[in-house]
Amino acid sequence: MSIVISDEILQAAHLTPNEFRQEIAIHLFQTGRLTLGYASQLAEMPITTFRQLLKQRSIPLYSYSVEDFELDLKNLRALGRL
């Protein structure tokens, strides 16, 4: 599937086609809609380069919620490590 973005929209956003792809890829990764691998493919960047872009924007590679932390604590207590 191909999507055509008009030059008018790109100009209004002050983005090149590559930058536009990157912005969409970042957004979809950040919202959990795409994995790191798929997002880097959409951005047409090697994974290492895409990871660096995320780092520059202070976007974490992994989402670690309070619930995840609480579950980890529970499991560590059950294992006798806390």
Side-chain angles (χ1 to χ4, degrees), residues 5-40:
I5 306 299
S6 71
D7 290 336
E8 181 181 359
I9 291 174
L10 292 173
Q11 289 172 356
H14 302 288
L15 296 169
T16 66
N18 286 339
E19 293 168 336
F20 192 84
R21 267 193 305 280
Q22 290 172 12
E23 293 300 321
I24 291 173
I26 289 168
H27 173 74
L28 293 174
F29 173 77
Q30 200 169 17
T31 58
R33 303 291 302 258
L34 284 181
T35 64
L36 181 65
Y38 282 126
S40 68

Side-chain angles (χ1 to χ4, degrees), residues 64 67-82:
Y64 191 68
E67 292 82 15
D68 292 333
F69 178 69
E70 289 172 347
L71 181 61
D72 284 347
L73 286 176
K74 179 183 171 187
N75 289 333
L76 287 170
R77 285 185 185 111
L79 291 170
R81 295 192 179 182
L82 279 183

